[in-house]
Amino acid sequence: MHVTLFGTGYVGLVTGACLADAGHAVLCVDVDEKKIARLKAGEIPIYEPGLEAIVKRSAQAGTLSFTTDAAAAVAHAELQFIAVGTPADGDGSADLSFVLDVAATIGRHMESDKIVVVKSTVPVGTCDQVKERITEVLSERPAELGCEVVSNPEFLKEGSAVADFLKPDRIIVGTASKRAGAVMKELYEPFNRNHDRTIYMDVRSAELSKYAANAMLATKISFINEIANLAERLGADIEQIRRGIGADPRIGYDFIYPGLGYGGSCFPKDVQALIRTARNAGYGAGLVEAVDAINERQKKTLFERIAGHYGGIDALKGKTIALWGLAFKPNTDDMREAPSRTLMEALWDCGARVQAYDPVAMDEARRIYGDREDLVLAPDKYSALADADALAICTEWQQFRAPDFDEMALRLKKRLIFDGRNIYAPDRMRDEGWTYFSIGRAPSLPRLKAVKAAS
């Protein structure tokens, strides 16, 4: 099948590459000439495990190509995917300008009937607006053409997006058209070999399903963080509690890991957009609003812990804090809404310096912050510790889980760790002479014998 895909960001590139790898003839179009030039040269603008190999393989096979020519892209296929960004407006609602611009472009250039598939995460009713925009543009032309608009939300996790696309939990298709449904079934046939994962529903239900899914997962994260904060105050251990409640199959272990809250390009934006959607419908989504408020508060936890340990924010002036992990989660270079940014910016406001390391997000940090005297981007995790007053951990990368603690002690001024992801065992840290703060657990202070041995 021939497929046109507008947008070569995270969702668009993964979708286009995986469809092309299955044998479909995919043409990806973007207005960013530099990005298209990089993609044509085999350069991948985002970090996602497995994506580079699929893009290069499909490009070499001739099933995946890139262009900035919108007219050629519209002419390429009956299926026109919209996978452009929907950033949050100032009030938290989704900005649909890019989506509707693509709709107008399709209406302007189409010379035959089209099936327009909205892959972008959009509020309920957006597909209606897309249809209206295309129809409005077509009305200015003499041609008698038609289009169907389908909702096909994505459910890709950053860090495992390729695997998620190739072996999906579900494929949601929102349409009232039997023909459009049949075309979508044929498109996704390569990913439905074992059993049919496609769920057909009406357009508005499909649109809301995406927001509902992300809000549910965000709710689990905020819930476990709320219980973690309570556990600290009651002398309980959130890790033991997590295992206790996760053993219940109705709850499960996924998304109940305490930490610094959620970040990235999806959960924060989608939760806020759902809140705004509810308000526009005359409904106060109190639970979703609480999820958002708890998450914003949780992002400040590590800074508050560091400031509290030193006796207040004024005492942080001149301190150097080593930081492990910049991306909002492992296996991605995405720093959008990352807790590390909340921590670093708060430390800088107090006059502290940061020495940071992340396995893949260093270039992204340079792009965001540029060169500044109070930020050192270290070449490896141990170099980030050099003469630092303490270590803060914001991302649970695998390579941080089993470090050489003796090497760390030699490089840090003191054996002091603020762990925002609970990756170490408090008893071990206590026995080895570390002062260790984590989430939802009592601080671990070094045993006297260990302190003497360390000194």
Side-chain angles (χ1 to χ4, degrees):
M1 299 179 72
H2 283 224
V3 179
T4 290
L5 205 148
F6 282 86
T8 57
Y10 190 86
V11 173
L13 189 56
V14 172
T15 300
C18 291
L19 288 173
D21 196 49
H24 297 306
V26 179
L27 178 58
C28 293
V29 58
D30 203 294
V31 296
D32 189 334
E33 294 182 358
K34 291 182 179 179
K35 182 188 287 187
I36 292 298
R38 289 181 62 190
L39 287 166
K40 285 183 175 180
E43 298 178 22
I44 309 303
I46 59 175
Y47 177 82
E48 179 62 37
L51 179 60
E52 182 175 1
I54 288 182
V55 171
K56 289 184 176 179
R57 182 168 65 239
S58 300
Q60 290 172 358
T63 57
L64 179 64
S65 54
F66 303 96
T67 186
T68 57
D69 187 339
V74 174
H76 173 74
E78 177 188 19
L79 273 173
Q80 303 278 311
F81 272 74
I82 300 177
V84 294
T86 54
D89 272 338
D91 63 357
S93 60
D95 180 356
L96 299 178
S97 59
F98 299 124
V99 172
L100 297 178
D101 284 348
V102 172
T105 297
I106 294 171
R108 190 176 306 117
H109 294 293
M110 59 188 285
E111 298 293 343
S112 59
D113 292 352
K114 303 293 182 183
I115 296 175
V116 178
V117 183
V118 179
K119 198 74 172 171
S120 303
T121 299
V122 295
V124 175
T126 299
C127 285
D128 292 340
Q129 294 184 52
V130 169
K131 180 67 175 287
E132 290 170 4
R133 179 61 61 87
I134 295 173
T135 301
E136 177 186 344
V137 174
L138 284 174
S139 68
E140 301 172 358
R141 301 174 55 197
E144 291 290 334
L145 301 171
C147 73
E148 299 283 353
V149 179
V150 175
S151 174
N152 179 217
E154 54 85 15
F155 296 97
L156 307 177
K157 300 185 294 292
E158 290 194 47
S160 60
V162 171
D164 290 343
F165 196 99
L166 298 178
K167 295 183 179 180
D169 296 319
R170 75 284 205 197
I171 301 168
I172 289 182
V173 175
T175 181
S177 165
K178 290 184 178 180
R179 182 176 179 280
V183 171
M184 295 297 288
K185 180 179 181 180
E186 181 181 353
L187 177 74
Y188 284 116
E189 189 66 29
F191 312 99
N192 274 318
R193 293 301 186 189
N194 293 334
H195 62 275
D196 191 355
R197 299 175 175 87
T198 307
I199 302 172
Y200 295 94
M201 59 183 69
D202 65 85
V203 171
R204 289 186 169 235
S205 296
E207 290 173 326
L208 186 54
S209 291
K210 170 63 177 180
Y211 279 128
N214 279 355
M216 181 70 244
L217 297 175
T219 299
K220 294 185 74 173
I221 294 171
S222 284
F223 174 81
I224 198 65
N225 283 330
E226 188 84 309
I227 298 301
N229 294 334
L230 181 60
E232 283 187 31
R233 290 158 174 78
L234 297 177
D237 185 332
I238 190 59
E239 292 300 324
Q240 296 181 36
I241 296 167
R242 178 183 64 79
R243 290 193 292 271
I245 66 175
D248 186 331
R250 297 171 300 175
I251 299 172
Y253 292 103
D254 292 341
F255 290 87
I256 59 166
Y257 289 87
L260 300 177
Y262 54 79
S265 62
C266 294
F267 286 9
K269 174 176 69 69
D270 293 351
V271 166
Q272 291 170 16
L274 184 58
I275 292 170
R276 177 57 58 180
T277 296
R279 289 175 182 169
N280 290 341
Y283 180 73
L287 174 61
V288 185
E289 291 175 359
V291 167
D292 182 54
I294 291 168
N295 191 65
E296 289 304 304
R297 183 182 68 201
Q298 197 68 18
K299 287 183 178 181
K300 303 172 184 175
T301 299
L302 213 55
F303 171 75
E304 293 171 351
R305 199 142 298 176
I306 294 171
H309 173 76
Y310 284 111
I313 58 176
D314 292 339
L316 293 176
K317 186 175 183 179
K319 296 291 184 184
T320 298
I321 305 299
L323 192 152
W324 282 1
L326 294 167
F328 84 94
K329 72 173 188 176
N331 297 319
T332 181
D333 62 351
D334 194 344
M335 289 181 61
R336 285 173 287 186
E337 302 287 340
S340 64
R341 298 179 64 173
T342 301
L343 174 60
M344 288 192 295
E345 290 164 13
L347 289 170
W348 291 332
D349 287 343
C350 296
R353 296 176 70 253
V354 174
Q355 296 175 174
Y357 172 74
D358 187 282
V360 302
M362 304 295 270
D363 288 341
E364 181 66 3
R366 290 188 188 93
R367 185 191 68 79
I368 294 170
Y369 294 115
D371 294 326
R372 47 186 302 159
E373 293 182 357
D374 49 10
L375 173 62
V376 175
L377 296 174
D380 59 73
K381 62 186 178 185
Y382 294 120
S383 296
L385 306 178
D387 294 322
D389 294 284
L391 167 64
I393 301 173
C394 288
T395 314
E396 64 277 27
W397 283 95
Q398 189 68 22
Q399 64 174 262
F400 298 157
R401 293 184 178 275
D404 184 335
F405 288 108
D406 292 334
E407 179 69 22
M408 293 170 64
L410 290 173
R411 296 184 179 241
L412 286 165
K413 289 182 179 178
K414 292 185 178 181
R415 296 186 179 218
L416 175 59
I417 297 176
F418 298 90
D419 182 359
R421 297 299 178 182
N422 288 7
I423 62 178
Y424 303 135
D427 287 345
R428 179 183 178 183
M429 303 307 292
R430 183 183 300 114
D431 291 342
E432 295 197 9
W434 290 85
T435 298
Y436 177 67
F437 296 89
S438 55
I439 305 296
R441 304 182 291 191
S444 293
L445 303 179
R447 298 190 193 280
L448 183 61
K449 185 183 295 184
V451 172
K452 290 181 178 179
S455 60

